[in-house]
């Protein structure tokens, strides 16, 4: 029944009979069945009119002003070209247009606009006087900085694009609007600087978004990402997510393409590489030497999160391979549980604790973390489940995971750490080395649109790699990253000769 209804009105147009139009729209929009779907009959200049809007979406003061102005109309004012006169002279609002397409009217009303129909007219006026319930642009929790802007993206698309334009006033900045989802009609925006972004990337993303055939984007930007890149079993993120307008602006000026999805505060940045996920705004809010130090510490933390546990397990279970100055790493397993099982239990416990903290009310989360982390760990050691070293090295690996500014990257590295640990436990040093090589080869084979995932390491670009590893002073950044193929590679104007 639903599919039949969709088929008959998708290509329908309005009639000049207002009563017939009203019956049709009432049926499609569910007027009388949904309390928030408003159909308001009015009379202006002795002509019957009908307004359609969703309660809570339209701005009351704008609609009241428009209705008050229309109430002063006389019959002779609407004798000829009534809607054109209203559109050009009486409805003093910027975002208004005429349409006779039923599908566009329905989509506009459900998106928050108001539609005005008039007796004897086969078109309707769409008044985009929408407003959405929205929170203020607060600083994102996972991208905090000591100094710098405190604004962050919110769940409203128009607010997010406005925040971006506040940072980027380039006339070449483009914001292409699309809708995805047969039922949800979710607003999506493709953003790029026209003379910087690679046209191949823009065209490929535009075509891919337009080809998506689904009823809705259930989880906003994450669902869209899965439709676009289709790497379902790859834990590594194919796009970088940010909730900071300044970070989005920086990537736009490098030649990246951004994708905004309504109802989500996260903006997708593409193409992105492995190393994009290890950069943080804080590095550029400090002196270059401090920023370089922070970045190196972050790379060290990532290395600890991936390699520390497998290496310690190999060295502690094979003390004969340890040099004299590293003999302290060898452990005497006094627990009743094998060392590998101890690590597995501890890692699983940390994951359970992480999930529990998400669902725990904020005032209790800290107390729960202290109890679980300290009390349970201490009891586990006393009853013989763990040795103290296991708790120490698992804790270090977990801290290294959360030192990554990208939550998605941290979770992917955690899965790699577990894989390396299993390889080390089953096949020793040979298994660990082969697993590491396989991991690097696997990442090297990934391409995000036109960009290799491990660029500038593979393929090698020494200058770009140095810039990735060490935070370069901004006056020295004269080139845009060549890995994303920007149209204009120069950041600074070349001196005239």
């Amino acid at each position: 029944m639903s599919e039949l209804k969709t088929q008959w009105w998708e290509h329908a147009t309005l009639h000049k009979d207002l009563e017939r139009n009203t019956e049709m729209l009432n049926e499609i929009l569910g007027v009388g069945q949904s309390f928030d779907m408003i159909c308001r009959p009015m009379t202006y200049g002795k002509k019957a009119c009908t307004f359609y809007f969703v309660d809570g979406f339209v701005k009351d003061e704008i609609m009241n002003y428009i209705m008050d102005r229309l109430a002063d109309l006389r019959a002779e004012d609407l004798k000829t070209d009534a809607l054109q006169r209203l559109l050009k002279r009486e409805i003093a609002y910027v975002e208004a247009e005429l349409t006779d397409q039923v599908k566009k009217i329905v989509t506009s009303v459900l998106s928050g606009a108001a539609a005005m129909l008039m007796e004897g007219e086969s078109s309707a006026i769409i008044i985009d006087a929408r407003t959405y319930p929205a929170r203020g642009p607060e600083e994102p929790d996972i991208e905090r900085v000591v100094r710098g802007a405190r604004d962050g993206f919110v769940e409203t698309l128009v607010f997010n694009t406005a925040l971006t334009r506040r940072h980027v006033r380039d006339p070449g900045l483009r914001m292409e609007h699309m809708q995805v989802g047969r039922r949800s009609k979710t607003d999506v925006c493709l953003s790029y600087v026209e003379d910087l972004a690679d046209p191949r990337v823009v065209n490929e993303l535009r075509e891919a978004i337009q080809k998506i055939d689904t009823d809705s984007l259930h989880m906003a930007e994450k669902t869209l990402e899965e439709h676009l890149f289709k790497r379902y079993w790859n834990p590594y993120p194919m796009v970088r997510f940010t909730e900071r307008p300044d970070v989005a602006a920086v990537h736009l000026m490098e030649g990246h393409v951004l994708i905004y999805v309504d109802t989500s505060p996260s903006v997708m940045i593409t193409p992105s590489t492995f190393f994009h996920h290890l950069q943080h705004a804080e590095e550029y809010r400090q002196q270059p030497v401090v920023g370089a130090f922070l970045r190196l510490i972050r790379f060290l933390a990532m290395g600890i999160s991936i390699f520390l546990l497998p290496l310690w397990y190999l060295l502690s279970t094979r003390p004969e391979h340890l040099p004299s100055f590293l003999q302290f790493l060898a452990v005497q397993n006094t627990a009743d549980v094998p060392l590998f099982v101890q690590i597995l239990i501890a890692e699983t416990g940390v994951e359970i604790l992480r999930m529990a903290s998400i669902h725990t009310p904020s005032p209790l989360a800290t107390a729960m973390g202290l109890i679980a982390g300290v009390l349970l760990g201490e009891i586990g050691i006393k009853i013989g489940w763990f040795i103290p070293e296991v708790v120490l090295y698992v804790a270090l690996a977990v801290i290294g995971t959360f030192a990554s500014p990208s939550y998605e990257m941290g979770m992917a590295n955690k899965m790699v750490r577990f894989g390396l640990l299993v390889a080390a436990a089953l096949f020793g040093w040979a298994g660990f080395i082969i697993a590491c090589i396989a991991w690097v080869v696997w990442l090297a084979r990934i391409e995000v649109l036109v960009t290799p995932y491990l660029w500038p390491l593979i393929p090698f670009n020494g200058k770009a790699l140095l810039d990735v590893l060490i935070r370069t002073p901004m006056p020295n950044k004269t080139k845009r990253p060549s890995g994303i193929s920007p149209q204009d590679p120069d950041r600074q104007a070349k001196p005239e000769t």
Side-chain angles (χ1 to χ4, degrees):
M1 182 66 180
S2 175
E3 292 182 0
L4 184 61
K5 182 184 291 187
T6 301
Q7 291 174 356
W8 74 258
W9 62 261
E10 269 198 339
H11 304 290
T13 56
L14 293 178
H15 309 278
K16 289 194 174 183
D17 185 352
L18 179 62
E19 184 177 352
R20 186 175 174 184
N21 290 334
T22 302
E23 290 177 357
M24 176 173 58
L25 289 175
N26 285 353
E27 179 184 356
I28 297 171
L29 293 172
V31 175
Q33 296 174 309
S34 300
F35 78 94
D36 59 342
M37 184 61 66
I38 308 299
C39 171
R40 180 72 185 275
M42 305 287 289
T43 301
Y44 298 121
K46 297 184 178 180
K47 276 199 171 188
C49 302
T50 302
F51 281 92
Y52 284 95
F53 55 89
V54 177
D55 189 16
F57 272 178
V58 297
K59 297 177 183 177
D60 293 340
E61 61 273 15
I62 293 176
M63 293 305 299
N64 288 336
Y65 174 78
I66 291 174
M67 290 179 176
D68 287 343
R69 186 174 178 87
L70 295 179
D72 296 332
L73 291 173
R74 295 170 299 177
E76 54 267 25
D77 295 331
L78 301 177
K79 283 184 177 180
T80 59
D81 295 329
L83 292 185
Q84 287 291 344
R85 175 187 172 91
L86 293 180
L87 191 65
K88 293 180 179 180
R89 296 185 57 181
E90 306 300 337
I91 298 180
Y93 192 68
V94 172
E95 298 178 75
E97 61 175 327
L98 283 177
T99 183
D100 63 348
Q101 301 297 314
V102 173
K103 180 179 179 181
K104 185 170 183 179
I105 296 171
V106 171
T107 301
S108 298
V109 171
L110 293 175
S111 298
M116 177 185 173
L117 285 69
M118 181 175 285
E119 177 62 42
E121 300 291 339
S122 58
S123 296
I125 299 179
I126 304 298
I127 307 169
D128 193 356
R130 77 183 90 184
T131 181
Y132 292 131
R135 61 183 175 89
E138 302 170 352
E139 184 177 18
D141 288 334
I142 60 175
E143 294 181 275
R144 293 184 179 274
V145 293
V146 176
R147 296 187 183 277
R150 304 296 177 185
D151 56 345
F153 291 128
V154 295
E155 289 75 14
T156 306
L157 179 68
V158 177
F159 288 6
N160 293 342
T161 55
L163 285 170
T164 304
R165 282 200 179 272
R166 187 181 178 191
H167 288 265
V168 181
R169 299 178 182 178
D170 192 312
L173 178 60
R174 299 291 178 259
M175 299 282 188
E176 295 187 14
H177 175 263
M178 288 169 274
Q179 286 188 328
V180 178
R182 294 187 304 272
R183 292 182 179 273
S184 68
K185 306 291 185 184
T186 304
D187 293 316
V188 175
C189 174
L190 194 67
S191 177
Y192 57 93
V193 179
E194 191 171 31
D195 56 340
L196 292 183
D198 187 340
R200 295 174 298 169
V201 174
V202 176
N203 292 333
E204 185 174 344
L205 286 172
R206 183 190 296 118
E207 292 174 4
I209 293 174
Q210 291 172 346
K211 289 179 181 177
I212 294 175
D213 184 16
T214 183
D215 60 345
S216 67
L217 297 182
H218 309 291
M219 292 297 166
E221 82 291 348
K222 193 67 187 73
T223 305
L224 182 63
E225 181 206 359
E226 292 181 12
H227 278 288
L228 291 178
F229 296 96
K230 302 183 186 302
R231 297 181 182 269
Y232 309 125
W233 308 113
N234 182 352
Y236 280 94
M238 295 294 102
V239 298
R240 179 180 178 183
F241 295 99
T242 185
E243 295 182 31
R244 294 187 62 90
D246 52 357
V247 172
V250 167
H251 285 83
L252 279 172
M253 300 310 294
E254 286 185 348
H256 292 265
V257 180
L258 272 55
I259 304 175
Y260 302 76
V261 181
D262 195 31
T263 72
S264 171
S266 296
V267 170
M268 293 190 286
I269 301 171
T270 189
S272 64
T273 68
F274 180 90
F275 299 101
H276 276 114
H277 299 278
L278 299 176
Q279 299 177 8
H280 192 270
E282 179 66 21
E283 298 162 2
Y284 292 94
R285 295 291 184 177
Q286 303 292 339
Q287 286 291 95
V289 64
V290 177
F293 172 74
L294 293 175
R295 183 171 295 183
L296 290 175
I297 293 297
R298 186 167 287 114
F299 275 100
L300 176 63
M302 184 192 70
I304 288 174
S305 71
I306 296 174
F307 300 111
L308 178 64
L309 267 179
L311 283 174
W312 174 74
Y313 175 81
L314 286 170
L315 293 174
S316 61
T317 55
R318 293 164 176 81
E320 66 276 7
H321 296 161
L322 285 171
S324 57
F325 66 91
L326 291 179
Q327 285 297 323
F328 68 92
L329 293 177
V331 296
Q332 184 67 38
N333 191 358
T334 57
D336 298 328
V337 181
L339 186 58
F340 176 77
V341 178
Q342 292 182 45
I343 297 174
L344 184 62
I345 293 174
E347 283 273 24
T348 305
V350 169
E351 279 303 297
I352 294 174
L353 175 61
R354 181 187 65 82
M355 289 187 286
S357 65
I358 294 174
H359 305 296
T360 302
S362 298
L364 303 178
T366 303
M368 187 199 69
L370 290 173
I371 292 173
V374 178
L375 186 59
L376 295 182
E378 184 67 24
I379 293 174
I381 293 172
K382 287 184 177 180
I383 66 175
W385 275 28
F386 308 115
I387 57 175
E389 289 89 342
V390 167
V391 177
L392 171 65
Y393 289 110
V394 168
L396 288 174
V398 171
I399 292 172
T401 298
F402 290 114
S404 171
S406 169
Y407 181 77
E408 293 79 15
M409 176 65 76
M411 296 302 295
N413 288 338
K414 180 178 293 189
M415 296 182 69
V416 170
R417 175 174 76 231
F418 182 74
L420 296 180
L421 183 63
V422 171
L426 294 177
F427 306 107
W429 282 102
F432 174 74
I433 294 172
I434 292 174
C436 288
I437 295 174
W439 173 57
V440 174
V441 170
W442 173 51
L443 291 179
R445 290 171 58 87
I446 298 173
E447 280 194 358
V448 181
L449 300 174
V450 298
T451 304
Y453 198 58
L454 285 186
W455 184 89
L457 180 62
I458 301 174
F460 184 76
N461 184 322
K463 187 175 181 180
L465 182 61
L466 183 64
D467 185 47
V468 165
L469 297 176
I470 300 176
R471 192 279 222 203
T472 308
M474 293 307 295
N476 295 345
K477 284 181 173 288
T478 59
K479 298 289 185 181
R480 293 184 173 87
S482 61
I484 61 172
S485 304
Q487 295 186 67
D488 181 8
D490 298 308
R491 286 180 178 272
Q492 301 177 11
K494 295 181 179 179
E496 297 182 1
T497 58

